[in-house]
Amino acid sequence: MEKNDVKCAQKNIMAWYRSCGRHDLPWRKTMDIYHIAVSEIMLQQTNVPKVIEKYISFIERFPTIESLAKSQQKDVIMQWQGLGYNRRAIYLHKMAQSVQNDFGGFFPEDPNILISLIGFGPYTSRSIPIFARNCDIAACDVNIARIMRRVHKVNDASEKQVIFWTEELLYHGHSRDWHNALMDFASIICTKRSPQCEMCPIKKQCLSFPDPQDAKKILRTEVGRSEHGKHIPRRIFRGRIIEYLRTHKGTTDQIGNVIKKDWQSTKDRVWCESVLKGLKKDHMIVCEDGVWLLK
Ligand code: SF4
């Protein structure tokens, strides 16, 4: 991108963010690095309205990293209820214990150290110091990558190329606001399926305007199983199992009967056993004498 285009894109996105951004999100009102980390992990695979509700109650229940580290894993999973992808709760708990044991309770701020913590990838290890410390670096998740590929009109651009573009466009000195702006821009204007190109503040700098081709791709069907003729993703069944085991224990048949509306033991038993074994492998549940329960 030409220097002038970079400056225009930064100016236009920031102006749009000031008037249309989601400034009231609770994690945008804090600089507490632990609270920011909780919100970042929650936002990985859950939509914002649900995260708002759960973030507030999670922080009330575990206000400090010490309180989270000292808690029982099953209490953390209970508190995670409703967010789905329960593996994240386990990672968060283990991360808290690691900060307590390995870093004397001080949350690391260096991306090169953060990436060594369980559950933190290249994006979260950078986004956390950005949102908590306004650290002058760029972070790139799938949403920001989508913006970059569209603006440059290279749908199959490599990860390295996308990171280069993300760093090139970084609004230096305002990293926290800049990344908040990009997040809102990706979820309100440059959305995955229905980008609002006509009202886009950077349409003059975007080579895909007015018709980004990737928005038309067909969604791939997730792995799952039919229930009354409807395809249900496996992750939904995993969530139903955890939901059930929060208050019960059960054999494979007892669980299958609850989590699958058209359950037939002869047809579904082997499949249900494989979903349960997957959860066991992810350290979320255990099996004692043929009875499954939360770890
Ligand atoms: S013009 Fe369309 S594709 Fe390009 S950045 Fe704006 S919303 Fe995204």
Side-chain angles (χ1 to χ4, degrees):
M1 223 188 225
E2 298 288 329
K3 264 195 177 157
N4 243 359
D5 286 333
V6 168
K7 280 197 173 154
C8 280
Q10 289 171 338
K11 190 171 130 251
N12 295 347
I13 286 180
M14 288 309 291
W16 172 85
Y17 173 64
R18 277 190 283 276
S19 58
C20 305
R22 299 172 294 185
H23 303 284
D24 282 341
L25 297 175
W27 48 89
R28 291 193 179 168
K29 295 177 181 169
T30 180
M31 299 290 266
D32 184 309
I33 195 163
Y34 158 65
H35 294 183
I36 299 273
V38 170
S39 71
E40 283 296 289
I41 302 289
M42 286 185 172
L43 286 163
Q44 277 171 6
Q45 281 140 321
T46 309
N47 61 41
V48 167
K50 176 57 82 181
V51 173
I52 293 175
E53 175 197 329
K54 298 305 296 185
Y55 167 83
I56 293 169
S57 59
F58 193 93
I59 295 298
E60 276 170 8
R61 175 74 180 77
F62 305 112
T64 61
I65 196 154
E66 190 185 3
S67 60
L68 180 61
K70 281 183 178 163
S71 62
Q72 298 282 318
Q73 180 175 291
K74 65 179 175 198
D75 292 338
V76 183
I77 294 179
M78 291 282 262
Q79 193 62 39
W80 200 261
Q81 187 171 8
L83 282 164
Y85 295 101
N86 291 278
R87 195 180 306 170
R88 293 177 296 166
I90 296 173
Y91 288 167
L92 201 49
H93 185 225
K94 287 193 189 308
M95 177 278 290
Q97 290 175 332
S98 169
V99 169
Q100 286 304 115
N101 298 335
D102 305 332
F103 298 95
F106 293 100
F107 208 109
E109 298 176 9
D110 180 344
N112 297 317
I113 297 174
L114 284 168
I115 203 164
S116 68
L117 297 178
I118 187 162
F120 284 16
Y123 171 73
T124 34
S125 59
R126 297 171 79 83
S127 69
I128 290 166
I130 286 171
F131 292 128
R133 299 289 179 264
N134 197 30
C135 187
D136 204 26
I137 53 174
C140 185
D141 73 343
V142 286
N143 297 304
I144 294 176
R146 179 176 68 249
I147 299 169
M148 298 302 151
R149 289 193 167 102
R150 284 178 176 171
V151 166
H152 293 272
K153 205 178 179 182
V154 187
N155 283 340
D156 58 355
S158 68
E159 206 174 312
K160 197 173 159 200
Q161 180 64 65
V162 170
I163 289 169
F164 173 81
W165 287 330
T166 309
E167 284 171 351
E168 180 186 55
L169 200 58
L170 173 64
Y171 187 30
H172 285 283
H174 307 271
S175 182
R176 176 179 160 105
D177 282 346
W178 174 246
H179 285 82
N180 280 331
L182 284 183
M183 286 300 152
D184 290 357
F185 180 70
S187 68
I188 297 169
I189 300 289
C190 195
T191 66
K192 190 174 175 185
R193 298 283 149 214
S194 317
Q196 308 294 306
C197 296
E198 286 302 334
M199 59 174 74
C200 176
I202 58 165
K203 61 186 178 191
K204 286 194 179 144
Q205 288 81 42
C206 178
L207 297 177
S208 290
F209 177 80
D211 191 23
Q213 293 302 301
D214 66 311
K216 294 176 180 158
K217 280 189 190 159
I218 313 279
L219 268 176
R220 239 186 35 217
T221 310
E222 282 184 69
V223 175
R225 195 154 178 95
S226 170
E227 183 182 70
H228 287 315
K230 195 175 159 200
H231 180 81
I232 307 291
R234 190 181 181 93
R235 67 185 159 81
I236 300 291
F237 289 113
R238 283 170 59 101
R240 288 180 189 173
I241 291 171
I242 296 294
E243 238 11 82
Y244 177 69
L245 293 181
R246 282 185 214 284
T247 47
H248 301 79
K249 301 173 182 179
T251 62
T252 302
D253 276 296
Q254 285 168 332
I255 293 169
N257 206 19
V258 172
I259 61 126
K260 193 164 187 291
K261 291 172 189 155
D262 56 357
W263 170 258
Q264 288 177 33
S265 187
T266 44
K267 206 174 96 201
D268 294 320
R269 196 170 196 292
V270 172
W271 161 78
C272 187
E273 192 92 28
S274 76
V275 181
L276 287 160
K277 282 180 180 163
L279 286 166
K280 184 177 170 217
K281 199 169 155 217
D282 290 338
H283 308 289
M284 291 190 213
I285 64 176
V286 290
C287 186
E288 292 172 1
D289 300 326
V291 175
W292 298 94
L293 58 153
L294 270 193
K295 197 174 169 196

